[in-house]
Amino acid sequence: MNTQLFINGEFKDSDELQKVINPSTGEVIAEVSLASEYDVLSAVSAARIAFDHKDWTGLSLAQRKGFLLKISQGILDKAGELANLETLNTGKPIKESTFMDIPSAAETFRYFGENLEKFLKPEIKNVSTQIAHVQANLLREPLGVAVLIVPWNYPLLIACWKLAQALAAGNTIVLKPSSLTPLSVLELAQIVKDAGLPNGVVNVIVGSGEKIGKALCSDKRVDMISFTGSNEVGKRILEYSSENVKKLIMELGGKSASIICNDADLESAVNSSLCSIFLNQGQMCTAMSRILVEADIYDQFVNDFVNKAQRIKLGVGGDFETQMGPLISEAQRKRVIACIEQAKKDDARIICGGKIPAAEEFKNGFFFEPTVITEVKPQSDIFKEEVFGPVVCISKFVKLDEAISLANQADFALAACVWSKDEAKAAEISGQLNAGTIWVNTYGMFFNELPYGGFKQSGFGKELGKEGFLEYTRLKDVIVDKTKEAKPLVNYWYGF
Ligand code: NAD
């Protein structure tokens, strides 16, 4: 298990250590080195020098592609080990790490490796006017040093999304995982080292955002920051980066809604809605934490949903039978409990869960029962604020307009679901929903081919797809005069 910082191609200790906890048992599983401000400066210097010396951009695109494919293969070669590590550190069910997080992480490197030449191909535009004819070459260049800051809910997968795109685009990197969940990303650093990337191209530092965030995000040698995390921290990063105007991608929180129409396939809608709030213990930015159900199927939906929610098997992350693991930390569990207490004060009804499971096996982990809340007032906090836990509000609607307006009332606008067998109706509703991604008759499909990212308080910029990839580049416009005979006006403007 790697526990050291990775700077300029070397693993190194630091003076300060931080305990890493297994949320399933509360046990300490590792002590990792925490970066000091000095380590931040070293990591940024290494990335800056590697970029300025063209250690990465100087390679051909085919060589760059080769390195990305090697990293992809390196992840696959260690897939079992990485899945175990991810589950040990996050508590997420091993089935999710094994079949979702790790293969998707490898696939992202493969996809951007395979496509970088196509995506970076310069575009040529000819422009003719009465006075001039020019040919413009629109060039896609890397931005320079990219700081990538990752949350704890999908530590390896989100790190790989950002790293694969930023590297494919030609940037050099300082990657910072959450200090709660650094282990899989430190293993990724080893995979990068084994793949033989030049020193300094990728640097990984673990550290408390409070302590090193400002040094990292306000350093003028950094050209871009791609951040995924909470709104609160996102706003701080906006402040830090404003000192020297950096390119930003902000993937922040959510309070997503699913609209279930009376002509939906009820069984699929119930089953998918369970995943949309209980996968990864509800610790998903796109969690459908509000389900809006048309009145005539409401009772049936709630009944089926609760019956199935109560059958979800809680357990330690490492057990293949486990369907729901613990929350990430005691602090997160306290936050979830506080949200539920507030909902009760606001006269909502907890009809399922709402407490810590009593069984002895859950005593030391940070477990919490799948929770369903009804009779929720639209103005209450539980309907407006992100909980980031296995807690869902189910509300009834009579008219579609009412459902759309409830869905859109949140300050967030990350994702939404629409359930209806009528494609035209689903398209009409999707058009009116204010969210960056809308799933129709499904949930949670992420593809390397498709851009993803929210609006409003959910942030700005996209990840994935050609559009997300291009966020990690800058566009340079080289305009060449091609005017025949007559020179362009500017060349004889002063009459000389
Ligand atoms: P967080 O904001 O607390 O931390 C995210 C990262 O920022 C961590 O690496 C943390 O160490 C770092 N950080 C903390 N303070 C910092 C500072 N002052 N300067 C720089 N970096 C700092 O978020 P979290 O608790 O790890 O994750 C949960 C949040 O992430 C939720 O709000 C969730 O919605 C959001 N999220 C969003 C998406 C998305 O794609 N929109 C995806 C996953 C998670």
Side-chain angles (χ1 to χ4, degrees):
M1 194 188 287
N2 273 308
T3 56
Q4 294 169 300
L5 309 173
F6 181 63
I7 299 175
N8 204 23
E10 298 294 334
F11 284 97
K12 61 176 286 255
D13 287 323
S14 71
D15 296 336
E16 206 185 334
L17 293 176
Q18 158 137 341
K19 291 185 170 58
V20 180
I21 308 290
N22 174 355
S24 292
T25 62
E27 286 164 353
V28 176
I29 44 176
E31 290 203 332
V32 295
S33 296
L34 280 190
S36 62
E37 282 199 20
Y38 176 78
D39 295 317
V40 171
L41 295 182
S42 304
V44 173
S45 297
R48 187 76 255 167
I49 291 168
F51 187 82
D52 291 346
H53 287 184
K54 301 195 182 338
D55 295 344
W56 187 237
T57 51
L59 302 179
S60 69
L61 293 186
Q63 285 172 308
R64 206 187 286 171
K65 167 183 169 179
F67 279 116
L68 268 88
L69 297 184
K70 265 193 186 173
I71 299 174
S72 174
Q73 190 56 48
I75 295 171
L76 290 177
D77 291 345
K78 288 190 171 176
E81 196 182 316
L82 284 167
N84 284 331
L85 206 53
E86 197 71 326
T87 282
L88 194 66
N89 198 173
T90 61
K92 70 174 66 190
I94 185 74
K95 208 170 149 188
E96 291 179 29
S97 306
T98 304
F99 295 114
M100 295 182 193
D101 298 35
I102 310 304
S104 307
E107 182 54 19
T108 300
F109 273 98
R110 190 204 60 77
Y111 177 77
F112 287 104
E114 297 283 1
N115 284 287
L116 66 91
E117 288 176 89
K118 185 168 86 188
F119 292 165
L120 291 172
K121 202 165 174 228
E123 191 186 344
I124 297 175
K125 279 191 172 179
N126 288 300
V127 181
S128 290
T129 68
Q130 280 177 336
I131 50 169
H133 171 63
V134 296
Q135 187 182 69
N137 295 325
L138 305 184
L139 307 177
R140 284 288 171 181
E141 298 183 336
L143 285 142
V145 175
V147 162
L148 314 177
I149 303 180
V150 177
W152 47 254
N153 61 339
Y154 287 90
L156 186 73
L157 182 57
I158 295 179
C160 286
W161 281 5
K162 291 184 189 298
L163 186 61
Q165 293 176 97
L167 275 180
N171 302 285
T172 58
I173 315 295
V174 180
L175 169 61
K176 196 196 92 54
S178 163
S179 41
L180 290 175
T181 55
L183 298 180
S184 56
V185 176
L186 289 171
E187 203 51 49
L188 178 66
Q190 183 67 55
I191 291 170
V192 166
K193 187 173 165 68
D194 294 345
L197 270 76
N199 291 346
V201 172
V202 176
N203 305 274
V204 179
I205 52 171
V206 181
S208 135
E210 286 291 326
K211 277 197 190 158
I212 60 165
K214 187 161 195 287
L216 184 59
C217 300
S218 58
D219 193 312
K220 71 174 182 199
R221 295 168 302 166
V222 169
D223 300 284
M224 87 166 291
I225 302 170
S226 174
F227 172 76
T228 299
S230 63
N231 277 60
E232 193 195 341
V233 173
K235 283 173 193 161
R236 258 185 263 165
I237 290 176
L238 288 175
E239 267 171 46
Y240 304 152
S241 61
S242 69
E243 281 183 30
N244 35 54
V245 190
K246 299 182 196 310
K247 167 77 191 274
L248 296 174
I249 300 174
M250 287 277 146
E251 300 291 350
L252 308 177
K255 188 73 190 174
S256 300
S258 186
I259 296 181
I260 321 273
C261 300
N262 59 9
D263 60 351
D265 174 335
L266 194 63
E267 188 181 331
S268 296
V270 168
N271 289 346
S272 181
S273 300
L274 288 160
C275 284
S276 76
I277 185 62
F278 298 135
L279 274 181
N280 206 25
Q281 297 70 249
Q283 300 166 138
M284 299 179 287
C285 48
T286 53
M288 294 291 140
S289 51
R290 300 179 297 152
I291 304 181
L292 311 172
V293 187
E294 198 152 0
D296 42 352
I297 57 162
Y298 178 81
D299 290 342
Q300 181 73 54
F301 182 93
V302 171
N303 189 47
D304 293 356
F305 189 93
V306 168
N307 274 338
K308 289 178 174 173
Q310 285 168 333
R311 282 164 37 206
I312 290 176
K313 188 175 173 342
L314 265 69
V316 294
D319 183 344
F320 256 97
E321 298 298 308
T322 293
Q323 294 175 319
M324 202 168 120
L327 299 179
I328 190 69
S329 63
E330 183 57 38
Q332 185 64 14
R333 184 162 69 173
K334 282 190 174 144
R335 252 198 72 197
V336 171
I337 293 171
C339 294
I340 291 175
E341 290 309 312
Q342 184 58 47
K344 286 185 196 161
K345 283 187 197 145
D346 292 335
D347 299 327
R349 248 184 94 204
I350 317 299
I351 60 165
C352 161
K355 51 188 194 314
I356 296 173
E360 183 65 16
E361 60 185 297
F362 302 124
K363 201 175 73 187
N364 297 321
F366 312 127
F367 293 90
F368 199 75
E369 292 179 349
T371 300
V372 180
I373 308 184
T374 57
E375 293 171 37
V376 176
K377 296 192 187 90
Q379 316 77 358
S380 59
D381 284 355
I382 197 75
F383 201 75
K384 291 192 306 192
E385 306 294 339
E386 185 179 48
V387 176
F388 224 57
V391 179
V392 65
C393 304
I394 310 186
S395 304
K396 191 187 294 186
F397 72 87
V398 177
K399 291 194 171 149
L400 262 177
D401 286 355
E402 182 197 340
I404 292 165
S405 137
L406 281 173
N408 286 344
Q409 80 166 37
D411 287 337
F412 300 99
L414 188 57
C417 287
V418 180
W419 286 87
S420 166
K421 284 186 194 147
D422 179 340
E423 274 190 28
K425 182 161 107 185
E428 169 63 25
I429 300 170
S430 305
Q432 292 189 50
L433 284 172
N434 197 353
T437 296
I438 296 168
W439 287 290
V440 176
N441 296 329
T442 185
Y443 167 74
M445 301 273 198
F446 290 94
F447 297 95
N448 290 311
E449 292 80 356
L450 297 179
Y452 156 77
F455 311 137
K456 292 167 77 179
Q457 300 282 311
S458 293
F460 50 82
K462 298 286 179 192
E463 296 274 20
L464 305 182
K466 182 179 177 188
E467 296 78 0
F469 169 78
L470 294 180
E471 299 265 5
Y472 290 86
T473 66
R474 60 183 197 181
L475 184 62
K476 181 184 275 179
D477 194 1
V478 179
I479 301 170
V480 181
D481 179 52
K482 296 275 181 183
T483 316
K484 279 189 196 141
E485 293 155 17
K487 289 178 183 154
L489 184 60
V490 69
N491 293 9
Y492 54 92
W493 183 258
Y494 292 116
F496 302 138

